[in-house]
Amino acid sequence: MKKVLIIFSVFLITISLQVKAQVTLEPNYVKEHYEKKEIAIPMRDGVKLFTTIYTPKDKSQQYPVLLNRTPYTVGPYGEDKFKESLGNFPAMTTEGYIFVYQDVRGKWMSEGTFEDIRPTNLKKGKREIDESTDTYDLLEWLSKNLQNYNGKAGMYGISYPGFYSTVSLVKTHPSLKAVSPQAPVTNWYMGDDFHHNGILFTGDAFKFMSSFGIPRPKPITPDQAPQTFQYPSKDVYQFYLDAGTAKDLKDKYFADSVKFWNDVFAHPHYDQFWKDREILPHVKNVKPAVMIVGGFFDAEDTYGTFETYKTIEKQNPNNNSILVVGPWFPRWLGKR
């Protein structure tokens, strides 16, 4: 019988937070217990994606992989620089995993061209790519090259990385055994982030794209990134009252530099542009166990949480999938 875990109790949240708080890592814990490697891993089209691998120094056993593909940087960069903790929260750091992080295509230190919620193409040729093939190629490389790896991988992500987690379920690599899309970006027209039921969420869209949408002509680290937009005053509400139309915002602050902002206004209706970016119709024949996580106080990606679960259940009646939802917001789930 399928399990649906809907957690309403503030008491349970308190318990969960206490569990997370019980694990306090000593300074330099990650550096002392893990080896870090940075590798540019080639995809099927020859483009190399920047990947950071943290492997336990204890070589007495083999470990499963926990994978996170992100457009928000895998930093800190440099094999002598380490994250303070690994996974969503400190407790995961001590559980015995190989942690793999990858800058998605066209972001930060990865080569290639970035495309927002890149369409999934099931009819592509052998050297054509989408996000599902990039995930597959990464897992294939790990299977053939990673030492002390037991051949079993899990993948997770919150918000935009949640989208990449969902995409991994399309023609899945056989090593991928469990996937957790958490508050996943799913449909930027119907209900997540940019539009709510087709209505443009102007403040969220403008602020996000004023930094995230800045062109990156070549691989860069965060310290090399262009300066992001700063509101002229702390009164953000007044800023939008004075800004004029969405076109005025574009003309004054973006010009034609932010491609996706232009796409939003070139496609005001639910046309093929948006339909091509629907990932859920492709989530079929799902083999990994799936845990979808979301929160009722999420102002941006609640749609994706419920639609992802409902679609997987409908299209994969024999899949092991569960839904975990409670009165929290995305950042409570852990690190993006």
Side-chain angles (χ1 to χ4, degrees):
M1 181 177 179
K2 300 294 182 180
K3 297 180 181 179
V4 181
L5 305 180
I6 303 181
I7 305 172
F8 293 99
S9 173
V10 174
F11 172 75
L12 288 180
I13 293 180
T14 303
I15 295 297
S16 298
L17 288 171
Q18 288 175 345
V19 169
K20 291 170 70 173
Q22 285 176 357
V23 178
T24 302
L25 300 177
E26 296 292 329
N28 297 319
Y29 178 92
V30 176
K31 186 174 184 179
E32 291 172 359
H33 290 83
Y34 287 85
E35 297 174 349
K36 180 184 178 184
K37 295 293 183 182
E38 296 180 337
I39 304 171
I41 296 179
M43 302 291 103
R44 63 188 63 190
D45 63 345
V47 170
K48 295 179 179 179
L49 303 189
F50 189 92
T51 308
T52 300
I53 302 173
Y54 291 84
T55 305
K57 290 183 177 180
D58 179 4
K59 306 301 182 185
S60 64
Q61 60 178 306
Q62 293 184 318
Y63 302 92
V65 155
L66 272 183
L67 171 62
N68 182 265
R69 300 188 68 240
T70 179
Y72 296 134
T73 91
V74 303
Y77 295 92
E79 292 188 343
D80 60 336
K81 296 180 174 60
F82 291 74
K83 292 180 178 291
E84 294 181 0
S85 65
L86 302 170
N88 277 41
F89 45 84
M92 295 175 68
T93 309
T94 64
E95 290 298 310
Y97 293 100
I98 298 171
F99 291 89
V100 179
Y101 299 88
Q102 186 175 73
D103 285 333
V104 297
R105 180 180 293 258
K107 278 292 184 179
W108 303 103
M109 288 297 288
S110 283
E111 297 176 354
T113 301
F114 178 76
E115 184 171 358
D116 276 293
I117 45 176
R118 188 189 303 274
T120 296
N121 177 13
L122 299 183
K123 298 181 180 180
K124 53 189 172 291
K126 290 184 177 180
R127 289 180 60 83
E128 293 180 290
I129 62 90
D130 56 23
E131 300 301 341
S132 70
T133 63
D134 282 352
T135 307
Y136 189 100
D137 292 350
L138 169 59
L139 288 166
E140 181 71 2
W141 188 95
L142 295 173
S143 296
K144 293 180 178 179
N145 296 279
L146 188 58
Q147 296 181 349
N148 289 94
Y149 173 35
N150 70 4
K152 297 179 180 180
M155 186 169 179
Y156 69 96
I158 303 170
S159 190
Y160 216 142
F163 163 76
Y164 295 105
S165 297
T166 304
V167 172
S168 75
L169 298 171
V170 178
K171 294 192 173 182
T172 307
H173 190 276
S175 66
L176 191 61
K177 305 302 182 183
V179 176
S180 183
Q182 302 174 10
V185 166
T186 303
N187 189 315
W188 268 0
Y189 191 91
M190 298 304 295
D192 290 327
D193 293 303
F194 275 72
H195 296 85
H196 288 199
N197 295 316
I199 303 301
L200 180 65
F201 201 19
T202 305
D204 180 73
F206 174 80
K207 179 58 178 175
F208 181 68
M209 277 298 160
S210 69
S211 57
F212 189 83
I214 294 176
R216 187 223 64 166
K218 64 180 182 178
I220 58 173
T221 56
D223 60 301
Q224 300 168 322
Q227 185 175 0
T228 60
F229 173 79
Q230 300 295 320
Y231 287 107
S233 74
K234 293 182 179 180
D235 192 342
V236 177
Y237 180 67
Q238 189 62 47
F239 169 81
Y240 285 107
L241 287 178
D242 297 338
T245 66
K247 183 180 184 302
D248 292 332
L249 280 170
K250 165 184 150 24
D251 292 344
K252 185 173 182 179
Y253 296 104
F254 292 163
D256 286 322
S257 65
V258 179
K259 181 181 182 302
F260 197 77
W261 188 265
N262 293 343
D263 290 338
V264 167
F265 293 101
H267 303 277
H269 305 296
Y270 198 56
D271 59 12
Q272 198 61 44
F273 173 84
W274 296 107
K275 293 176 182 178
D276 287 345
R277 284 159 175 75
E278 288 188 55
I279 181 56
L280 294 182
H282 304 299
V283 181
K284 299 177 180 179
N285 301 313
V286 172
K287 296 180 180 179
V290 184
M291 182 174 73
I292 300 99
V293 184
F296 291 116
F297 288 91
D298 181 354
E300 290 150 11
D301 295 318
T302 304
Y303 173 93
T305 297
F306 289 101
E307 289 301 312
T308 300
Y309 176 73
K310 289 192 295 184
T311 302
I312 290 176
E313 285 283 282
K314 181 179 179 179
Q315 296 178 173
N316 305 272
N318 297 318
N319 178 256
N320 179 15
S321 59
I322 63 174
L323 172 66
V324 181
V325 184
W328 49 68
F329 55 94
R331 292 186 183 274
W332 182 88
L333 299 172
K335 296 183 292 184
R336 295 164 70 95

